[in-house]
Every structure is written in structure tokens, then in C-alpha cells.
Amino acid sequence: MQANKKNAAIGFIFITLLIDIIGWGIIIPVLPKLLEDMLHVDASGAATYGGWLTFAYAITQFVFAPVVGNLSDKYGRRPIILLSLVGFSLDYIFLYFAPTFTWLMVGRVLAGITGASITTASAYIADISTEKDRAKNFGLIGAAFGLGFIIGPLIGGLLGQYGPKVPFMAAAILCMINFLYGYFVLPESLKPENRRPFDWKRANPVGSLLSLKKYPELLWLIISLTLVYVGAHAVQSNWSYFTMFQFKWTEKMVGISLGVMGVLVGIVQGGLIRWVNPKLGNEKSIYVGLAFYAIGMFLFASASESWMMYAFLIPYCLGGIAGPALQSVITSKVPANEQGELQGALTSLMSATSIIGPPLMTNTFYFFTHKKAPVYMPGAPFILGGLLMGLSAVVAYYTFTRGRLFRFNNQEKTKENI
């Protein structure tokens, strides 16, 4: 792929992921009010129904991510990405017109199916990346998440003033505009000779995960990545509960803090990683990033003033250099015609941790904060998250040092010797 077309393609993939996350973020400020009005319940009841909507999204994405990944290995990345954008647009239209909670569930299920576009977008990046720029290109995924997490809630809060459903129509329009742009601009990244037949045995969550046995040298690194996903829910699923309980933050303060977090994530994964990864290499980037994650978690747990949570976001967000480095190592060991399958399996893992992680962390928080708690420790979820990050680093170190993975290719060896 020519340099200009490659840069345009990477830009499109970034915008696609950004719009996906914006669409998700738009829902955050308006969903509680929408559920309260629709179901005639208070905020507590709305949270219960909102939990079922989250579950529906996560479990559907878990099931369909490997299907979408395998389809992209057969038909190419371009048509699957474009169809996913159409599906996302239909989802937001569903949410806009949904008269009942059941229809909201239908919309979330549809979002779970099309949300697996992250799988194909990741495979697209793997297709067009070289060993030199693979990690920094994967860093764009994190940058899209960070920026989307800033822009989405902001748009939702502003448009929500005109009605709780208005942001959904705005998201639908954004997706259709992106579809039209991609239809005329996005080239195919998977060459015909690198494609393979669709296989249902490999296109289901269990089959997709079992297919990883073909690469035994990757299994421990995938376990390391899974521990990162689970540990991250100490922040993702517990942040608002902890800060409201411990520091009496309002919804506005929580939103501002999440915006700051999004800015820092965007800076690290969209910019800093492009300088750090070539200097350190993938292996050291993994160790350093996981160390920052763990330090940030332990600092959150020890915070006694509100300002500390903002200060401790810095080391935590610096941990973002670990994920792209892990993905870079994993994808570099898989053939081009199986990148979609690999990304489908990884997305299924991430979805599975989105089913497991939130209840694990929120129940840990409840266990150590309720009136009959054996030990009062509001920061317990952060301590658990930090321990999981540390365990992830141990697993990664074991993998590299025991020779289960070729630690570096020739290019990386050269860089290490310079």
C-alpha cells in the first residue's frame, strides 16, 4: 500500500474507532434520565436496568467478535468495517425511536454485534503495519478510546438538554457520514492470496479461543493481556462509586475527572508511545507500562484528598504504553490471513472481562465499605487491580525469559544493541 493511501487508511480507521467510542460515550450522561422517564423508576431502579443493557452489549460482543473477525479473513476488512458502521447507525436509530425497554435491549444487542468492528479495525491495522510502526499504530486505538471518552459525554450532555434521545440521532448521523466517507476513501488491506475460507468451528467464542492453541508461545502473553483487561475495571467500573463515596464528588466532578483521564490517555497512546516504544522496545515497554499501572492503582487506593486522584492519574495513564506493546508482540507472530481471527479472539476476551470485571470490582468495593464490612477499605478494588497488573508483568516476564516467545526480531535486536 502506498504511503499516502496508507496514511489515509490509518486516519479513517482512527476516525471509525473514535466515532464508535463517541457513540458509546454519548449514552453515559443521558441513559439514566432516559430510563427513569421510560420505566417510571428512580435513579436506583434505572441503574439496575442500565446494568442489564450493559450485560446485553458485552455478552453479544463476546459471541459475535470472532464471527466478525473470521468474516473479515474471508471477505476482506473493508466490507466488514463498512457494514459495521451501517449497523451502528441502525442501532442509534433503534435507541432514538425505542418506545419500551425491550426495544432498547434490541438496540444494545445490535450494538454488540456491530461493536465488534473494533476486531476488524485492529486486523486492518495489523495488515498495513510494519514491525517498525506496529506498536504506534495500535496506540491509535487507545488514543481513539481516550478522545472518544472526552467528546462523547460532552456531546451527550450538551444535546441531552434538548431531550434524552437527541444524542442518539446525532450518533446515527455521524456513523452514516463515516460510512459514506469510507465507501469512497478506504482501500482494502487484505490481499486475496492472504484470505482463507470461513470456518464456523473457528468463528465462535470457544472455537476462536481454542484456535489460539496453534500458537502456544502466545498463550501466556494473552493471559497477561487478559489480566490487564480485568485489572483495568478497578478504574473503569469503580471510579464513580469510589470518588462519590470517599470524596463526595458530584456527577459533574466525576465527568470532569473522566475527561481529564481521556486527555491523558490520548496523549500517552496517541503521542508519547510513538517516542517511547522505539526507544525501549516492546518487552521493556510492557514491563514499564504495567509498573505504572500498578503504581497508579496503589496510589488511588491511598488517596486522602480529591486533588490526589487527579495527580495519580498521571502514573496510571502512563501505563497505557503496555497494551499496544503486548498487542504488537502477539500480532507479529500470526500470519496475515489469520489476523482477523486473532483479533476476534482478543475482542472476545475483552468482552468476557467486561462481563467479569465490573461485578468483581464493584462487589469488592461493597464488601469493604458496607456497614458490617470486616475491614473498612474503600480502595480495595484499586489494590486488587494493582495486584492483577503486577501478576500480568510476572506472566509476561516468565514468557519472555523462558523462551516461549521469540523475544525480538532482527530489527529489534539491532535497536537494542544501538
Side-chain angles (χ1 to χ4, degrees):
M1 187 179 295
Q2 296 178 352
N4 291 338
K5 290 185 177 180
K6 179 179 177 179
N7 291 334
I10 291 176
F12 175 81
I13 293 298
F14 174 77
I15 293 172
T16 297
L17 292 171
L18 180 62
I19 289 178
D20 285 357
I21 306 307
I22 287 175
W24 176 76
I26 278 177
I27 300 174
I28 295 176
V30 299
L31 186 59
K33 178 63 175 176
L34 176 63
L35 292 174
E36 288 178 26
D37 294 344
M38 179 179 289
L39 300 169
H40 306 291
V41 296
D42 59 12
S44 178
T48 302
Y49 285 99
W52 282 112
L53 290 175
T54 302
F55 175 83
Y57 177 86
I59 195 70
T60 306
Q61 190 177 64
F62 174 73
V63 172
F64 280 91
V67 175
V68 172
N70 276 264
L71 285 173
S72 76
D73 282 340
K74 176 179 174 60
Y75 296 106
R77 319 301 187 200
R78 183 177 185 275
I80 303 302
I81 290 174
L82 295 179
L83 285 174
S84 293
L85 287 171
V86 173
F88 252 121
S89 184
L90 292 176
D91 163 51
Y92 293 126
I93 292 174
F94 258 113
L95 294 176
Y96 181 83
F97 289 105
T100 65
F101 180 76
T102 300
W103 282 106
L104 286 180
M105 288 287 284
V106 171
R108 287 291 81 192
V109 168
L110 181 59
I113 297 173
T114 56
S117 62
I118 296 174
T119 299
T120 312
S122 298
Y124 194 106
I125 290 176
D127 290 339
I128 64 176
S129 297
T130 63
E131 291 296 331
K132 182 179 180 180
D133 60 13
R134 189 183 299 271
K136 72 177 183 181
N137 287 343
F138 272 111
L140 290 176
I141 297 177
F145 271 78
L147 292 176
F149 203 61
I150 301 168
I151 300 171
L154 179 61
I155 294 177
L158 292 175
L159 295 181
Q161 301 177 78
Y162 303 100
K165 290 187 175 183
V166 172
F168 298 123
M169 185 55 68
I173 294 172
L174 278 175
C175 284
M176 286 308 300
I177 291 174
N178 200 29
F179 163 78
L180 292 173
Y181 174 67
Y183 182 82
F184 292 105
V185 172
L186 184 67
E188 179 56 62
S189 65
L190 186 63
K191 298 178 180 179
E193 61 269 24
N194 289 330
R195 301 182 188 184
R196 62 175 180 81
F198 182 85
D199 184 357
W200 279 108
K201 292 181 180 179
R202 300 166 69 174
N204 63 80
V206 176
S208 178
L209 296 179
L210 289 178
S211 70
L212 295 173
K213 292 194 299 183
K214 295 184 300 182
Y215 313 103
E217 69 274 12
L218 295 179
L219 291 180
W220 286 103
L221 279 185
I222 291 172
I223 290 173
S224 178
L225 189 62
T226 302
L227 291 171
V228 172
Y229 288 153
V230 175
H233 278 285
V235 173
Q236 295 173 8
S237 301
N238 188 62
W239 182 267
S240 59
Y241 298 104
F242 176 81
T243 52
M244 288 181 174
F245 180 88
Q246 187 78 340
F247 305 115
K248 311 302 179 186
W249 283 11
T250 63
E251 292 84 353
K252 179 180 179 180
M253 293 175 70
V254 172
I256 292 173
S257 68
L258 292 175
V260 172
M261 188 186 302
V263 170
L264 291 174
V265 169
I267 291 173
V268 171
Q269 299 207 7
L272 185 62
I273 195 172
R274 294 171 176 266
W275 178 81
V276 171
N277 186 267
K279 297 288 186 181
L280 296 181
N282 284 327
E283 184 179 1
K284 290 182 179 178
S285 292
I286 292 169
Y287 299 147
V288 172
L290 291 175
F292 273 122
Y293 268 146
I295 291 170
M297 294 277 196
F298 293 140
L299 289 174
F300 288 148
S302 65
S304 58
E305 300 288 342
S306 289
W307 66 266
M308 294 181 178
M309 298 301 289
Y310 285 94
F312 297 158
L313 278 173
I314 296 174
Y316 173 77
C317 291
L318 284 172
I321 66 175
L326 268 169
Q327 281 194 312
S328 177
V329 174
I330 293 171
T331 58
S332 68
K333 304 304 175 184
V334 176
N337 65 349
E338 296 180 5
Q339 287 291 337
E341 181 182 27
L342 171 67
Q343 296 301 330
L346 294 180
T347 303
S348 289
L349 276 175
M350 186 167 61
S351 298
T353 61
S354 295
I355 298 170
I356 298 170
L360 173 64
M361 296 304 176
T362 54
N363 278 285
T364 298
F365 178 74
Y366 171 78
F367 182 80
F368 285 99
T369 55
H370 72 278
K371 293 181 179 179
K372 296 183 179 180
V375 178
Y376 179 76
M377 192 185 302
F382 295 124
I383 294 175
L384 176 57
L387 291 174
L388 289 173
M389 294 299 180
L391 180 59
S392 176
V394 171
V395 171
Y397 179 78
Y398 170 81
T399 303
F400 285 116
T401 58
R402 291 294 297 270
R404 293 180 180 272
L405 190 69
F406 292 107
R407 296 175 63 182
F408 303 101
N409 58 28
N410 292 333
Q411 184 177 17
E412 287 176 318
K413 285 182 179 178
T414 301
K415 290 179 180 179
E416 283 292 311
N417 292 328
I418 293 175

